[in-house]
Amino acid sequence: KIYEPEVHSDRRKWRMRSVSVDLNNDASLVIDIPDALCERDKVKFTVHTKTTLSSFQKPEFSVPRQHEDFIWLHDTIVETEEYAGFIIPPAPPKPDFEGPREKMHKLGEGESSMTKEEYAKMKQELEAEYLAVFKKTVQVHEVFLQRLSSHPMFRKDRNFQIFLEYDQDLSVRRKNAKEMFGGFFKNMVKSADEVLISGVKEVDEFFEQEKNFLLDYSIKIKDATAKAEKMTRSHKNVADDYNHISGALNNTAADNNTAFKNMCVLQKVEDRMASDQELKLTELLRYYTRDIQAAKDLLYRRARALADYENSNKALDKARLKGKDVAQAEENQKQCLQKFDKLSESGKKELTSFKARRVVAFRKNLIEMTELEIKHAKNSVSLLQGSIEILKSN
Amino acid sequence: MSCMRRFCHETQSHDSLHSCMCRRSVALLLLKMSEERDPAALSGSAQTEGEEDLFVSAMESPEAARLSAEDISPSSNGPRDDDPDDPDDLFAEATEEVSLDSPERQPILSDGPSPAITPVTISPRVDVFDRSPDLDEDEEENRDTFDIQISVSDPEKVGDGMNAYMVYKVMTKTSLSIFSRDEVCVKRRFSDFLGLHSKLASKYMHMGYIVPPAPEKSIVGMTKVKVGKEDLSSVEFVEKRRSALERYLLRTVKHPALLKDPDVLQFLESSELPRAVSTQALSGAGILRMVNKAADAVNKMTIKMNESDAWFEEKQQQFENLDVQLRKLHASVESLVCHRKELSVNTASFAKSAAMLGNSEDHTALSRALSQLAEVEEKIDQLHQDQSYADFYLISELLGDYVRLITAVKGVFDQRMKAWAKWQDAQVMLQRKREAEAKLQYASKPDKLQQATDEIREWEGKVQQGERDFEQISKNIRREVGRFEKDRVKDFRVVIIKYLESLVHTQQQLIKYWEAFLPEAKAIA
């Protein structure tokens, strides 16, 4: 994707256009986010849909959506009982403009004490950082929608359709939903899953393996994400330093100017290396940390269903003993078993395809990251060698 | 006939802040020089263009010397007219003496501690001004055949506890004839270097020579070493210091005049060196140094010089600007060094984490790829570390050196101001003496009149000397600044090239590592 920033007179307004080349695998429902507008740190995404499905009113349409709308959609899907056996695509994280905001602050404060070049440089840095945050947040919101559209069940979801199509503001619906669920369920899931999952007596070999794997992997991937974030941030700091150094060098060495101007470009290359590493590696890890959590949530729901089934068994035994409400207890037990079986069946499918998806994503991103690193490094080498030539010939 | 004269020159400045100081120095009487010496070796006042001028100045100087000889405070030694031929005269008294280019090649060394007190005024030392015949035209040739290598290595700790110190091996390899051997190895400690610098500064700074500053003291750093901490930071500190000492010596011998200085030669060659205690911060000498520094600072503010030469004004402004910019640059580079170190640490940490993730991953091919990724990142972390050393030792230290060098350059400009002030003061004095004489003309005190007339002659001489000194230092500074700028450009270019080459190497290694990893990533199935 290529993002071209259009900067308006109010420099806090940014509009990105993306030239999308991507991976909607089913032509019957194709979703992308071609456009995003950042106004006072509130992002408005343009969600664009192309569909051949008759359930939609038009074959092609676009709507503006805010981050909170995505969260609403995610939450309603999570709360939907029918989807208990599926891995719910993780909600996209809130757009985080803290970094650029800080830089903007510094820029504003230090404007009087900086030279024109320094100011221009800092502004450039700022724009680059905004661009990076943008790229990330658009990507992650887009992927969320594409996961839904490519899933056989989710794509048919009523709320999903409303999200894509409804040309009015969704904020009223959002408020209602909040009142209904209050986010309680989500919190419960987060705190209880570890305990419940590890406590379950697992008969099924597949799920036993999956449980052990997911519990361990989720810890490791969380750690790897944190370390990758630190590493990428350090890399950005180094790139920033090159920026300042090249600025200062321009002032001192009038005699060796061309070579030092190359330091400027070197900085851009370092910066690109850092952000590509971030997009491909760090973002990948971040995403899969969330996805692993979603997989664990599935296990949790299944474990709860198993617990319910075991309870229903006990209730049935009690009822039989007492001779009261046996039919009811039998019915309850049957339903619990059904639910548990359904969850196990779909859960198995989901977890298997999840692994496949994960492997593919890692492969793709690792290859892309490596190719980009090689490209940038080769770029650096030729730049540097050019500078060395110039200096030696002087 | 060799005449050695020792005399004391005492200043009586109207400025109460100028402390009254006594400095004994030795001046070769130029009578002898003009007779026996090769005129070329004299060089007279360096403004000379042709050989006639050499003789002219040779004739002038004895006058000056004689004049100065009469300006003696009663408390000092008078000129030793009684034993002019005694070469031992020099060493008969424990004086702080100036090294000279004597025709017999007897290096006259500063024995004992170097003058801790920087003289405020310049005693007429025409000879010292007039030495270094090789400068100017011959300078370029000399630099082409500049063949001397110096290394500072093998730091060794001597002693224990708070009295411990580090000793460094200083090895000089050269084909230059002023050295007695091709290869010399001596052991020196940090205070020896400081002592050397102190002597060189006192001898040459007031002549307008830019004397390279010695590396800075560091109480914290040294204390750690003394206490015996074998950790990374004290190892780094010793290495940083070793490198700085080496650069210091190399810069010092690059200066054509300093290279020939007997103190420098002694430092590089002689196996024993008297301990330079006056370099300690809290010694009597150290305190006097601080007092002088304060005095100098105040003087700088009170001297308002009428700059007639635009070149100096321009240059001073240039150096001010350069100073500011270099400091800024230095700060940015220090930030880079710090961040790169952080990057190295964080990369290593990520590598470990990726390895653990790889272990946990149950898909075999992906697991292997993640482990490989961890290995690559580990190698990269080492790369970052090495690069940060390059950042530091190549660039950051160079910038630090130049920030200190610029301070020395600014100091030299200040010396010129002082020379100017002294000249002006002499003119004022002369005027007063003339007025005094005029008054005495009307009183009938013949002996006082005679004295007044004598004094006028004396101060006329001083005015002339002051003007000559001022012109000499101005000329020296022009030459020094030219040399400095050429060196600076060259220095920076050499270092930047080395640095860029180190960056190239790092990037090429990165390419190698990632290209090795790529098939692993593609092999994930």
Side-chain angles (χ1 to χ4, degrees), chain B residues 171-184:
Chain B
M171 179 151 75
T172 311
K173 278 200 195 128
T174 177
S175 60
L176 296 175
S177 54
I178 46 175
F179 288 86
S180 54
R181 307 205 286 288
D182 283 354
E183 210 173 300
V184 193

Side-chain angles (χ1 to χ4, degrees), chain A residues 227 234 241-242 355 358, chain B residues 339-340 346 349 361-362 524:
Chain A
K227 301 280 163 63
S234 291
D241 284 333
Y242 273 135
K355 184 195 306 259
R358 188 177 80 247
Chain B
H339 284 145
R340 214 194 285 275
N346 290 339
S349 161
E361 174 62 62
D362 62 352
I524 302 171

Side-chain angles (χ1 to χ4, degrees), chain B residues 45-47 56-57 60-65 67-68 124 126 129-130 419 423 460-476:
Chain B
S45 45
Q47 300 102 314
V56 167
S57 59
E60 281 177 17
S61 323
E63 291 262 346
L67 261 173
S68 335
V126 190
F129 272 101
D130 298 339
W423 174 28
E460 278 173 348
K462 285 199 191 166
V463 167
Q464 277 177 14
Q465 186 62 48
E467 179 172 12
R468 266 204 301 272
D469 289 350
F470 177 72
E471 278 169 20
Q472 183 62 49
I473 193 179
S474 300
K475 183 166 193 240
N476 285 347

Side-chain angles (χ1 to χ4, degrees), chain B residues 200-334:
Chain B
L200 294 178
S202 65
K203 281 196 251 179
Y204 296 103
M205 265 201 76
H206 60 253
M207 280 169 29
Y209 285 24
I210 301 172
V211 176
E216 291 176 335
K217 293 195 196 179
S218 163
I219 298 177
V220 174
M222 261 330 272
T223 311
K224 270 205 206 150
V225 173
K226 288 186 202 214
V227 162
K229 279 183 102 183
E230 283 292 322
D231 66 350
L232 187 63
S233 67
S234 40
V235 168
E236 278 182 7
F237 170 78
V238 172
E239 172 54 30
K240 184 174 159 184
R241 176 162 279 192
R242 180 210 67 78
S243 172
L245 291 174
E246 193 174 90
R247 292 193 309 272
Y248 164 68
L249 284 183
L250 283 168
R251 283 216 179 86
T252 304
V253 298
K254 256 210 291 195
H255 193 301
L258 298 181
L259 173 58
K260 300 194 198 119
D261 182 286
D263 279 321
V264 171
L265 293 173
Q266 184 193 41
F267 181 90
L268 292 175
E269 288 192 314
S270 117
S271 45
E272 289 299 314
L273 208 60
R275 174 111 182 267
V277 288
S278 63
T279 59
Q280 286 166 347
L282 294 179
S283 64
I287 296 190
L288 273 162
R289 259 202 300 278
M290 284 193 274
V291 168
N292 278 327
K293 262 200 181 145
D296 282 355
V298 177
N299 282 340
K300 220 170 112 167
M301 291 192 282
T302 56
I303 296 176
K304 278 191 208 72
M305 181 167 165
N306 291 332
E307 187 58 78
S308 51
D309 193 338
W311 185 91
F312 281 91
E313 214 172 300
E314 216 178 276
K315 280 298 166 190
Q316 272 185 286
Q317 190 55 50
Q318 262 177 36
F319 280 109
E320 282 297 326
N321 295 343
L322 189 61
D323 192 22
V324 167
Q325 285 157 2
L326 280 182
R327 280 173 201 272
K328 240 191 197 161
L329 188 57
H330 191 209
S332 298
V333 172
E334 288 190 316

Side-chain angles (χ1 to χ4, degrees), chain B residues 205 406-416:
Chain B
M205 265 201 76
I406 298 229
T407 310
V409 172
K410 293 208 277 192
V412 139
F413 279 100
D414 291 345
Q415 293 290 338
R416 178 174 171 268

Side-chain angles (χ1 to χ4, degrees), chain A residues 44-283:
Chain A
K44 280 211 176 75
F45 302 93
T46 303
V47 178
H48 169 249
T49 312
K50 250 166 105 164
T51 176
T52 57
L53 298 175
S54 52
S55 45
F56 290 93
Q57 288 174 10
K58 289 188 273 199
E60 186 168 357
F61 45 88
S62 286
V63 292
R65 291 288 177 249
Q66 290 177 36
H67 169 74
E68 288 71 22
D69 300 329
F70 287 76
I71 300 301
W72 164 81
L73 179 59
H74 172 262
D75 290 351
T76 54
I77 290 179
V78 166
E79 314 290 3
T80 309
E81 191 63 35
E82 298 170 49
Y83 301 143
F86 302 134
I87 296 180
I88 319 281
K94 196 163 180 209
D96 178 16
F97 286 99
E98 195 49 52
R101 205 180 298 142
E102 236 184 84
K103 268 215 162 86
M104 171 119 79
H105 213 189
K106 265 200 228 155
L107 192 67
E109 280 182 350
E111 185 169 357
S112 46
S113 62
M114 284 189 236
T115 67
K116 239 171 81 176
E117 291 102 8
E118 286 175 336
Y119 185 75
K121 265 210 178 347
M122 271 209 85
K123 186 144 166 267
Q124 223 177 35
E125 262 175 53
L126 184 62
E127 284 173 17
E129 225 175 285
Y130 256 113
L131 186 61
V133 173
F134 243 106
K135 260 185 175 164
K136 272 190 305 184
T137 199
V138 169
Q139 181 183 61
V140 98
H141 283 77
E142 199 179 65
V143 163
F144 171 69
L145 295 178
Q146 286 168 351
R147 285 265 311 261
L148 292 175
S149 69
S150 54
H151 191 281
M153 294 306 291
F154 295 140
R155 72 201 325 242
K156 297 193 242 169
D157 182 84
R158 179 84 191 111
N159 286 313
F160 186 41
Q161 187 171 352
I162 291 173
F163 177 93
L164 292 174
E165 213 176 27
Y166 188 61
D167 57 1
Q168 306 285 320
D169 201 341
L170 284 178
S171 51
V172 177
R173 285 180 180 260
R174 279 193 275 131
K175 253 191 271 163
N176 293 342
K178 245 201 182 132
E179 277 156 22
M180 275 180 64
F181 300 119
F184 171 70
F185 183 69
K186 264 205 312 200
N187 291 336
M188 254 197 72
V189 167
K190 291 285 187 275
S191 51
D193 62 358
E194 307 279 318
V195 177
L196 207 64
I197 296 178
S198 26
V200 145
K201 265 182 306 205
E202 194 51 72
V203 225
D204 190 330
E205 183 64 40
F206 173 83
F207 281 100
E208 178 66 22
Q209 268 186 355
E210 281 300 307
K211 175 182 86 178
N212 292 330
F213 167 69
L214 284 176
L215 284 178
D216 184 46
Y217 198 77
S218 68
I219 297 173
K220 301 282 163 60
I221 198 171
K222 229 196 218 155
D223 185 59
T225 307
K227 301 280 163 63
E229 283 177 340
K230 261 178 123 173
M231 179 174 72
T232 319
R233 217 167 332 154
S234 291
H235 213 156
K236 289 239 172 95
N237 285 341
V238 168
D240 278 351
D241 284 333
Y242 273 135
N243 206 3
H244 298 145
I245 289 174
S246 67
L249 275 176
N250 262 340
N251 292 336
T252 52
D255 24 26
N256 291 328
N257 228 349
T258 17
F260 298 157
K261 280 210 172 87
N262 279 338
M263 287 290 264
C264 231
V265 195
L266 188 68
Q267 172 265 330
K268 287 211 179 69
V269 176
E270 278 294 322
D271 193 56
R272 277 283 204 56
M273 268 177 144
S275 16
D276 282 341
Q277 185 184 65
E278 208 207 349
L279 268 180
K280 299 293 166 190
L281 184 62
T282 315
E283 271 300 294

